[in-house]
Amino acid sequence: QVQLVESGGGLVQPGGSLRLSCAVSGRIFSVNAMRWYRQAPGKQRELVAAITTGGTTNYADSVKGRFTISRDNAKNTMYLQMNSLKPEDTAVYYCNAGIRRFYNSDDTNYWGQGTQVTVSS
């Protein structure tokens, strides 16, 4: 089975920092694009940041300059460094990855269970 496990969430004060991790495990052929999503209470799930296998990144306008996405392909792990956190960053953060189970299979999105980030005084 394929598993994506997020970690690093928690409670932080405005202006603080957190570093999220997403570890991919299981029988897989390759991990392709990886993404962080978040969903705040009463809101739609939104894309926060994305990174390709080659390291090309994209960010939501709301987090540009504050968040940094990265990955370690050797470890099949993705990270999200979050600085200058704001109350509006409060959400459940989800890891998403395009994964091929076998060399000739399709690229399929998998999701982690989410990790809570709360930014509050």
Side-chain angles (χ1 to χ4, degrees), residues 1 4 11 14 16 22 24 26 28 31 49 52 60-61 73 83 89 92 100 106:
Q1 59 182 353
L4 281 65
L11 175 64
C22 172
V24 178
I28 57 176
V31 179
T52 68
D61 288 340
N73 291 330
N83 299 326
D89 295 319
V92 177
R100 296 189 181 192
D106 293 330

Side-chain angles (χ1 to χ4, degrees), residues 2-105:
V2 176
Q3 294 186 84
L4 281 65
V5 180
E6 302 98 333
S7 62
L11 175 64
V12 65
Q13 294 185 342
S17 298
L18 285 173
R19 189 192 191 211
L20 306 183
S21 298
C22 172
V24 178
S25 63
R27 297 184 64 184
I28 57 176
F29 177 75
S30 65
V31 179
N32 297 306
M34 301 185 77
R35 309 168 186 88
W36 286 102
Y37 286 79
R38 68 185 181 188
Q39 188 164 22
K43 295 186 177 181
Q44 296 286 98
R45 186 172 298 186
E46 64 175 346
L47 178 66
V48 176
I51 185 167
T52 68
T53 54
T56 300
T57 60
N58 285 290
Y59 298 92
D61 288 340
S62 59
V63 307
K64 285 181 179 178
R66 300 188 297 120
F67 291 10
T68 302
I69 189 172
S70 62
R71 65 191 290 170
D72 185 336
N73 291 330
K75 297 180 179 180
N76 282 338
T77 301
M78 175 178 64
Y79 307 94
L80 185 67
Q81 179 66 47
M82 304 185 295
N83 299 326
S84 302
L85 283 162
K86 305 174 180 179
E88 51 263 45
D89 295 319
T90 296
V92 177
Y93 283 72
Y94 296 93
C95 177
N96 171 269
I99 296 173
R100 296 189 181 192
R101 297 292 307 280
F102 309 99
Y103 81 98
N104 61 345
S105 66

